[in-house]
Amino acid sequence: MASTRSSTLPAHDAARRRRKMAAERQVAGGGGRRGGSGGGGAGAGPEENKENEKPAGPKAGSLGDSLGLEILQIIKESQQQHGLRHGDFQRYRGYCSRRLRRLRKTLSFKMGNRHKFTGKKVTEEILSDNRYLLLILMDAERAWSYAMQLKQEANTEPRKRFHLLSRLRKAVKHAEELERLCESNRVDAKTKLEAQAYMAYLTGMLHFEHQEWKAAMEAFNKCKTIYEKLASAFTEEQAVLYNQRVEEISPNIRYCAYNIGDQSAISELMQMRLRSGGTEGLLAEKLESLITQTRAKQAATMSEVEWRGRTVPVKIDKVRIFLLGLADNEAAIAQAEGEETKERLFESLLSECRDAIQAVREELKPDQKQREHSLEVDSGKVSNIQYLHSYLTYIKLSTAIKRNESMAKALQKTLLQEQQSEDDGKRTARPQDLIRLYDIILQNLVELPQLPGLEEDKNFQKEIGLKTLVYKAYRCFFIAQSYVLVKKWSEALVLYDRVLKYASEVQAQAGAYKNSLKELPDVQELINQVNAEKYSLQAAAILDANDTHETESPSQVKDGKLLSERFETFCLDPSLVSKQASLVHFPPGFQPVPCKPLFFDLALNHVAFPPLEDKVEQKAKSGLTGYIKGIFGFRS
């Protein structure tokens, strides 16, 4: 037994050693797979494996070559592709960690082993590849993205602000190391400038969070100056990225200037916000609160508002702030260039208006409403708070009408361009889309005359009636256009006549209301367009009738017969491949068939059968004697 045990123990030890060595080989070879889809190595996708290659820039081969790194381009592309397009800083932070792991593995720049951490720094002596610079850049980006993630969470958990500042300081430390390495003679001049700008940007953000406005402003100005010089030194395509970063930094600089004491900066900040349709990033919340505070100070002096000849006191602060910013918002909408920016500004204005209306509704409690109504019931007027609610509702409906009209104009331009140059493979604009927009406009116009306090205002009712006729005319025009597309000529012609009727009514009644109709679409232009379309429609109808008569052939005309009845004739019938194909009559109809013949045996009536009396009598006389004879065979 002892000998057997001693002989088996080495075998067990050898097996254990083999398993341990296999496990170590698996860990060493498949370490990237432990991280799942987010890890590097074998688990990384083909796009992430490409990141292990040398980044774009000047050649970075031997020690004598100059190293280059497109710092701003690399971080912008990485941010847009890995979460920051949707403000997901946690996803971008995870991407930076994975890319750091892949870079260290590719460069064999490991921080110890799986049992012990050994810190290593990138020095100028080992700076033979621009991926070493990228390694430090990803460190800084990871710390910055973690800080921005904590900034989002600090809104509900204020203590996370301490961690946020710590991570920003870490990002600045990595940026300083990157700038120090880029001062080497091995790095080209462009990379040096970009490293200095990146360092200044992170330093400015750190001072901004510490509310050190002067230091932050100096850092942001340095960053802006460097990027402006880089933008002027390269082509327009390469300068776009630098100019975008300059636009991002400008609101921060103006905000710092305002906090230092420059009171003129607030107007520029408001214009920046309105032109862009809202600010994003580090300055968003601070700028919104600053504008709200500024308007609140102005609202302290505002006590009343006048609308349609009646002055109403305004006691609600939220309503005062909204009415003060109304003119600025409308001016920004008028100056907006892109349709997306204009749409965003419209949505922002409608949101603020809804909040103001909700604040007024809270004041319109039943008991207070009845009390105020009883005080003014003799004069036949609604209460001041109710009239203010009507005014805000009028602003909301008018803004919605302007927004839909702006969308309709954009669709009309798209429709006209597609008619001039038809592109296949894309969803084209249709007249039906415009019909829906004008339906919404007409619904809003129906609500306007029903506002409390405006029932007796004849001029207001007349203005709304004229506006309704204008939009009805445009709605009928695009309904006619949709009928033209399906070659319903008679229906389209009738609708064109209806458009001319509405337009003539507007021109006849718009004598005293020309000022209120200035912002509406031009009716005379619509009349000219309808007259041109009518002649085109009549010509198209005549040509279509002639073409149909000449090209009509039996092979293309469906005569209504079933498939079983027209096997000898070819006919293009699309219904044969549908679920209701006309194949045969089912159930089949009744048809006359020949009856089964009846046979009559006429000879049977003339047949005489032989007599059977003798056989019957013999059978009757048979008794015991006949039975005995039958047994012995004597029966005759």
Side-chain angles (χ1 to χ4, degrees):
M1 290 293 293
S3 61
T4 305
R5 185 179 302 172
S6 62
S7 62
T8 55
L9 281 175
H12 285 296
D13 293 340
R16 190 181 300 110
R17 284 195 298 271
R18 284 196 298 271
R19 287 194 298 269
K20 184 177 180 181
M21 291 173 63
E24 290 178 353
R25 284 195 300 270
Q26 183 177 2
V27 169
R33 289 188 289 270
R34 291 181 299 172
S37 60
E47 295 183 359
E48 292 185 342
N49 283 333
K50 290 181 181 179
E51 294 172 349
N52 294 335
E53 300 174 0
K54 296 181 181 179
K59 56 183 179 179
S62 62
L63 295 176
D65 296 334
S66 61
L67 301 176
L69 193 68
E70 300 285 347
I71 295 178
L72 186 60
Q73 180 180 352
I74 289 173
I75 62 176
K76 281 296 182 181
E77 290 179 356
S78 301
Q79 290 173 2
Q80 290 297 313
Q81 295 175 7
H82 298 90
L84 260 63
R85 185 176 298 176
H86 309 290
D88 191 351
F89 290 98
Q90 185 176 5
R91 177 184 166 194
Y92 180 59
R93 173 191 164 202
Y95 162 76
C96 292
S97 299
R98 295 191 300 272
R99 190 168 185 183
L100 276 169
R101 189 183 305 119
R102 292 192 297 272
L103 283 169
R104 289 193 183 111
K105 185 176 180 180
T106 306
L107 296 171
S108 299
F109 192 77
K110 298 181 180 179
M111 301 290 192
N113 52 34
R114 59 196 297 260
H115 300 291
K116 183 181 178 181
F117 173 79
T118 305
K120 293 174 63 177
K121 290 186 177 181
V122 180
T123 60
E124 187 176 350
E125 288 73 17
I126 65 171
L127 194 62
S128 60
D129 195 326
N130 55 3
R131 283 175 289 186
Y132 286 105
L133 300 176
L134 184 59
L135 193 68
I136 304 174
L137 178 63
M138 285 295 106
D139 271 324
E141 282 293 291
R142 180 173 63 175
W144 171 82
S145 59
Y146 196 7
M148 294 300 101
Q149 177 189 342
L150 292 169
K151 183 176 178 63
Q152 291 178 340
E153 298 172 357
N155 295 328
T156 55
E157 302 178 48
R159 288 196 58 82
K160 289 193 174 181
R161 179 169 173 77
F162 299 102
H163 197 184
L164 152 68
L165 297 175
S166 173
R167 299 314 299 173
L168 269 180
R169 283 192 291 270
K170 190 73 171 178
V172 172
K173 182 180 178 182
H174 288 303
E176 288 176 352
E177 185 180 357
L178 178 64
E179 184 183 9
R180 179 182 57 81
L181 286 174
C182 289
E183 291 176 357
S184 171
N185 295 329
R186 303 178 185 179
V187 181
D188 61 5
K190 180 183 177 183
T191 307
K192 291 179 181 179
L193 287 174
E194 287 207 38
Q196 293 174 9
Y198 184 68
M199 168 63 188
Y201 178 73
L202 291 182
T203 304
M205 293 183 69
L206 179 61
H207 290 307
F208 195 95
E209 285 297 329
H210 280 290
Q211 297 186 0
E212 299 171 353
W213 308 117
K214 188 174 182 180
M217 186 175 177
E218 292 176 357
F220 284 135
N221 277 326
K222 179 181 178 182
C223 178
K224 180 181 177 182
T225 303
I226 293 173
Y227 282 130
E228 285 176 346
K229 289 181 178 179
L230 288 171
S232 62
F234 295 97
T235 61
E236 293 183 0
E237 296 180 357
Q238 295 174 328
V240 171
L241 202 59
Y242 301 119
N243 290 327
Q244 288 178 355
R245 179 53 72 100
V246 170
E247 292 177 2
E248 293 175 8
I249 297 171
S250 297
N252 296 343
I253 296 173
R254 300 310 300 160
Y255 187 80
C256 294
Y258 170 78
N259 284 280
I260 291 173
D262 187 0
Q263 297 298 327
S264 63
I266 182 62
S267 59
E268 296 183 16
L269 284 172
M270 293 176 68
Q271 291 298 324
M272 288 178 184
R273 171 183 171 271
L274 293 173
R275 281 197 302 268
S276 62
T279 309
E280 299 178 357
L282 181 68
L283 196 60
E285 298 177 2
K286 295 182 180 295
L287 185 56
E288 290 294 334
S289 61
L290 174 62
I291 292 174
T292 304
Q293 292 172 7
T294 305
R295 288 178 178 171
K297 292 178 183 179
Q298 297 174 356
T301 61
M302 179 182 180
S303 59
E304 59 186 21
V305 64
E306 184 179 356
W307 181 54
R308 302 202 68 83
R310 178 174 175 178
T311 303
V312 180
V314 182
K315 301 178 182 179
I316 306 172
D317 293 337
K318 185 176 288 187
V319 179
R320 290 177 180 176
I321 294 172
F322 167 71
L323 292 177
L324 282 171
L326 180 61
D328 294 335
N329 288 327
E330 290 178 347
I333 291 172
Q335 296 173 3
E337 298 179 356
E339 292 298 329
E340 294 183 1
T341 303
K342 189 176 292 187
E343 179 68 19
R344 193 161 53 244
L345 289 172
F346 271 121
E347 289 297 333
S348 176
L349 179 57
L350 286 172
S351 177
E352 293 178 7
C353 187
R354 283 190 288 266
D355 293 340
I357 291 174
Q358 183 61 33
V360 174
R361 283 177 182 169
E362 293 175 358
E363 296 291 329
L364 280 172
K365 295 179 180 179
D367 54 346
Q368 184 178 358
K369 185 178 179 181
Q370 291 176 3
R371 185 169 61 253
E372 292 181 353
H373 183 69
S374 63
L375 294 175
E376 298 181 357
V377 69
D378 297 334
S379 61
K381 296 181 179 180
V382 298
S383 63
N384 288 331
I385 191 70
Q386 182 64 53
Y387 196 75
L388 181 61
H389 182 271
S390 299
Y391 177 47
L392 294 175
T393 307
Y394 168 79
I395 294 174
K396 185 188 75 171
L397 294 174
S398 301
T399 305
I401 290 171
K402 292 177 182 178
R403 180 193 63 181
N404 291 324
E405 186 181 350
S406 175
M407 295 171 63
K409 288 181 180 178
L411 276 176
Q412 289 179 33
K413 291 180 181 178
T414 305
L415 194 63
L416 183 61
Q417 292 174 358
E418 289 175 353
Q419 288 176 355
Q420 294 176 354
S421 58
E422 297 181 356
D423 295 331
D424 296 333
K426 297 181 180 179
R427 184 188 181 278
T428 58
R430 300 172 300 172
Q432 290 85 340
D433 302 331
L434 288 161
I435 295 170
R436 176 58 183 162
L437 289 175
Y438 284 111
D439 281 335
I440 298 172
I441 291 175
L442 291 172
Q443 290 174 7
N444 293 331
L445 288 173
V446 169
E447 297 178 17
L448 283 174
Q450 301 174 2
L451 295 176
L454 299 175
E455 297 89 347
E456 303 300 328
D457 193 339
K458 301 299 182 183
N459 291 331
F460 182 77
Q461 302 288 336
K462 190 70 174 178
E463 289 177 8
I464 299 302
L466 287 175
K467 290 180 181 180
T468 303
L469 287 176
V470 172
Y471 289 115
K472 278 186 176 180
Y474 272 89
R475 179 177 175 272
C476 281
F477 175 75
F478 288 108
I479 293 176
Q481 293 283 80
S482 63
Y483 277 120
V484 169
L485 293 178
V486 294
K487 297 184 179 181
K488 293 186 177 181
W489 314 115
S490 57
E491 291 87 344
L493 189 60
V494 171
L495 287 169
Y496 281 143
D497 292 335
R498 180 65 62 86
V499 173
L500 294 176
K501 177 185 174 183
Y502 286 143
S504 60
E505 290 181 8
V506 171
Q507 288 183 335
Q509 301 175 13
Y513 302 97
K514 288 184 178 180
N515 293 330
S516 61
L517 298 178
K518 282 183 178 180
E519 299 179 355
L520 297 181
D522 190 6
V523 179
Q524 184 60 42
E525 182 180 351
L526 180 63
I527 292 174
N528 297 335
Q529 189 173 0
V530 168
N531 289 329
E533 292 289 341
K534 282 180 65 177
Y535 295 123
S536 300
L537 183 147
Q538 292 172 356
I542 294 172
L543 292 174
D544 184 65
N546 293 336
D547 292 343
T548 303
H549 179 72
E550 292 175 359
T551 59
E552 190 174 287
S553 64
S555 63
Q556 295 179 348
V557 177
K558 182 181 177 182
D559 53 5
K561 292 184 180 181
L562 300 175
L563 180 63
S564 59
E565 298 175 356
R566 50 179 175 84
F567 284 134
E568 68 282 356
T569 304
F570 175 74
C571 179
L572 295 176
D573 188 1
S575 64
L576 293 177
V577 294
S578 64
K579 294 182 179 180
Q580 298 179 352
S582 301
L583 302 178
V584 295
H585 285 292
F586 186 82
F590 292 101
Q591 294 181 358
V593 296
C595 178
K596 183 178 180 179
L598 298 175
F599 296 94
F600 298 93
D601 193 355
L602 302 179
L604 187 62
N605 296 331
H606 304 279
V607 173
F609 294 95
L612 301 173
E613 289 82 358
D614 54 345
K615 295 184 180 295
V616 173
E617 290 178 357
Q618 184 180 358
K619 186 177 181 181
K621 291 179 181 180
S622 62
L624 182 60
T625 306
Y627 176 73
I628 295 171
K629 289 181 179 180
I631 293 174
F632 293 100
F634 296 110
R635 179 178 294 180
S636 57

